[in-house]
Amino acid sequence: MSSALALSRSAILSGSAWTIGTYAASVVLRFGSNVMLSRLVAPEVFGMIAIIVVIRTGAELLSDIGIGQNIVNNPRGDDPAFYNTAWTLQILRGLILCVLCCLFAGPLAQIYGAPESAIQLGALTLAVLGTTSTSLCLLQRRLRLPMLTMFDLTLDFIGTVTLLLLVSWSPTIWTILLCNLLSSVMRVVASYLMPESRNRLCLDRRHLGEIVRFGKWIFLWSMVGFFSLNVDRLYIGTMVPLALLGVYSIARTMAELPAALAGRLGHSLVFPLVSAAGDMPHERLRREIGPIRLGFLLVAAVGIGGAAAGGDFIIRAIYDPRYALAAAMLPPLLLGSWATILCTTNEYVLIGQGRPKVGTVASCIKLGYLLIGLPLAFQVGGILAALTILVTADMVRYAALLIAQLRTRTGFGAHDLLATAVLLATLLLLTLLREWFSLGTAFDGLSHLRGGNL
């Protein structure tokens, strides 16, 4: 690919609009279903689902060799021999992961107190999703974001409606897991209704080598990223009852929404655009991406600042008293998600440039910080001290990324500093406004966590 495929402002704006719009609709669906599920099932079920999702996600990421990223990034990604080789690897990977999860379900069930058969049922989605057509990766490569985002939104809507209908009839963990499996089947079937959806089994030796060479850093990045994102659930899940883990998961899920949007923008838009830019000079790349990125960050800063200042109201208004502690956890977790957004928007630029090694090293530093700090903090100061470690972990990761980017003059440090100042100003202004009306602050609930466990 050459710099002839230059980034156009209209392409970035159009892709951003589609991604943000469909993601917002998806968030409304998921958030609404989450609230309704909280009234249909017990907190213990949320805790078990959190553990099963972490196990399944871990299996996916711990074996990720960047199959989709290879199709998007490689110059021969639209060659049938290349993407059919990638598709064959994807099928084999899904089957192997499913078998391994089923074999280790017993020990994992003993550690976390979740049913062994529930873990095995959750693992079936790995085998099913492994057969997904490469058509979705080719759509991403060609930046056909309207079709790709509407595909995701339509399936989210169908899956959410199905889930709520079935859970209202049978509010058990088995119903939720069966709905997840059904959603996976629908996604696979729908992927073969998209353009360029035909695949056949193929293992081309040359293309296999290319996939593995690029994928080794994606593998390390995904592996370290998984542990750094989920070490809190993995650790807390062994320390507290499942009901309390379910309460924490509610707050964590809400706090992750802004970072998830940044991740979707990075994966669906920034990564393929930077990959298409090829040998474009770094300075020009910064000029093309910088203004749009800054605009997104400023909007996100105001949103997160406002949500952190009043998020406790949302929890108390929507969830019943069983989830009251989530109101105290949400504000600091939201502030921690800001650093995650900064990291994500920088990492996908680096991956698009073919430099996933930098993100891997940064995530390793964050993981080390969590592995050392989280158990110590939890033992000394309970959940409040642990939250402090979680909130600051991505700041450590961001520092490592920024240093690497400054060396190649591809960083956006000034933009990040400006957006952070806007977030803090928004938070301070709204907090003072709450105090003026004698409404307290969003952080008053932290006193209930001091010195105690979840």
Side-chain angles (χ1 to χ4, degrees):
M1 299 182 187
S2 70
S3 58
L5 295 171
L7 311 181
S8 71
R9 185 172 297 272
S10 61
I12 297 175
L13 286 172
S14 174
S16 298
W18 273 101
T19 302
I20 293 172
T22 53
Y23 179 77
S26 178
V27 165
V28 171
L29 283 173
R30 294 181 183 181
F31 182 69
S33 67
N34 189 280
V35 173
M36 295 181 71
L37 284 175
S38 73
R39 299 184 183 279
L40 292 171
V41 301
E44 290 85 350
V45 174
F46 271 102
M48 284 188 282
I49 290 296
I51 290 298
I52 292 170
V53 168
V54 168
I55 292 172
R56 189 180 66 204
T57 304
E60 290 178 318
L61 295 181
L62 293 179
S63 62
D64 185 12
I65 57 171
I67 291 173
Q69 292 95 325
N70 265 286
I71 294 174
V72 174
N73 185 264
N74 195 286
R76 287 177 288 277
D78 51 8
D79 180 349
F82 186 93
Y83 62 71
N84 281 321
T85 297
W87 181 72
T88 304
L89 286 176
Q90 178 181 273
I91 293 176
L92 293 173
R93 172 174 167 261
L95 291 173
I96 292 171
L97 289 179
C98 179
V99 171
L100 289 177
C101 282
C102 290
L103 290 176
F104 287 98
L108 290 171
Q110 292 181 353
I111 294 173
Y112 293 106
E116 179 179 350
S117 52
I119 296 175
Q120 293 171 335
L121 180 58
L124 289 178
T125 60
L126 296 170
V128 172
L129 290 174
T131 61
T132 303
S133 169
T134 56
S135 61
L136 304 181
C137 300
L138 292 171
L139 286 175
Q140 182 185 357
R141 177 183 174 89
R142 290 162 174 59
L143 293 174
R144 298 180 65 178
L145 295 183
M147 181 178 291
L148 187 59
T149 52
M150 287 305 298
F151 173 89
D152 289 330
L153 180 60
T154 301
L155 288 175
D156 282 345
F157 177 78
I158 295 172
T160 298
V161 172
T162 304
L163 175 65
L164 292 177
L165 287 175
L166 293 179
V167 172
S168 63
W169 170 66
S170 175
T172 66
I173 187 174
W174 306 108
T175 305
I176 296 175
L177 292 174
L178 285 172
C179 286
N180 287 340
L181 182 60
L182 179 60
S183 295
S184 299
V185 172
M186 288 190 293
R187 182 177 181 84
V188 170
V189 172
S191 72
Y192 286 96
L193 302 177
M194 306 298 281
E196 299 181 272
S197 60
R198 296 186 62 180
N199 287 114
R200 60 179 178 82
L201 295 175
C202 173
L203 281 176
D204 185 287
R205 182 174 298 180
R206 183 185 59 161
H207 295 321
L208 183 63
E210 292 178 3
I211 292 172
V212 171
R213 279 193 296 274
F214 181 80
K216 65 182 179 183
W217 287 110
I218 297 293
F219 163 73
L220 291 172
W221 178 61
S222 297
M223 178 181 68
V224 176
F226 163 74
F227 282 117
S228 63
L229 285 174
N230 293 284
V231 68
D232 57 334
R233 292 186 180 100
L234 292 171
Y235 177 73
I236 292 173
T238 65
M239 301 294 291
V240 303
L242 286 173
L244 295 175
L245 178 63
V247 173
Y248 172 76
S249 296
I250 289 288
R252 176 71 188 274
T253 299
M254 292 185 67
E256 286 178 337
L257 293 177
L261 171 58
R264 182 171 293 195
L265 281 169
H267 179 264
S268 301
L269 182 65
V270 175
F271 168 54
L273 280 171
V274 175
S275 296
D279 56 358
M280 179 181 289
H282 294 327
E283 287 298 324
R284 184 180 175 189
L285 183 65
R286 290 181 63 204
R287 288 197 305 270
E288 296 284 354
I289 294 179
I292 304 299
R293 179 182 179 276
L294 177 60
F296 166 72
L297 288 180
L298 290 174
V299 173
V302 174
I304 291 177
D312 56 321
F313 288 144
I314 299 174
I315 294 287
R316 294 191 185 99
I318 296 176
Y319 293 97
D320 64 52
R322 295 176 299 172
Y323 299 94
L325 272 179
M329 302 175 197
L330 180 58
L333 288 174
L334 277 168
L335 295 179
S337 74
W338 174 248
T340 306
I341 289 175
L342 297 180
C343 291
T344 301
T345 53
N346 283 308
E347 273 187 338
Y348 276 107
V349 173
L350 293 167
I351 295 174
Q353 294 174 320
R355 300 171 61 204
K357 178 180 178 180
V358 177
T360 304
V361 173
S363 293
C364 283
I365 294 172
K366 173 190 173 181
L367 179 59
Y369 177 79
L370 286 171
L371 289 176
I372 296 172
L374 190 58
L376 290 176
F378 197 89
Q379 294 298 324
V380 172
I383 189 61
L384 181 60
L387 282 175
T388 303
I389 297 296
L390 292 170
V391 168
T392 55
D394 270 319
M395 298 179 188
V396 176
R397 174 180 160 213
Y398 174 76
L401 287 171
L402 183 62
I403 291 172
Q405 286 186 304
L406 289 176
R407 289 178 177 175
T408 56
R409 297 182 180 181
T410 56
F412 301 90
H415 289 177
D416 296 346
L417 184 61
L418 174 60
T420 302
V422 170
L423 182 149
L424 294 176
T426 302
L427 176 62
L428 177 61
L429 178 62
L430 294 178
T431 299
L432 291 175
L433 193 62
R434 283 186 59 161
E435 289 279 16
W436 177 268
F437 287 102
S438 301
L439 296 174
T441 75
F443 301 95
D444 292 342
L446 292 177
S447 59
H448 300 297
L449 305 175
R450 185 176 292 114
N453 292 331
L454 237 174

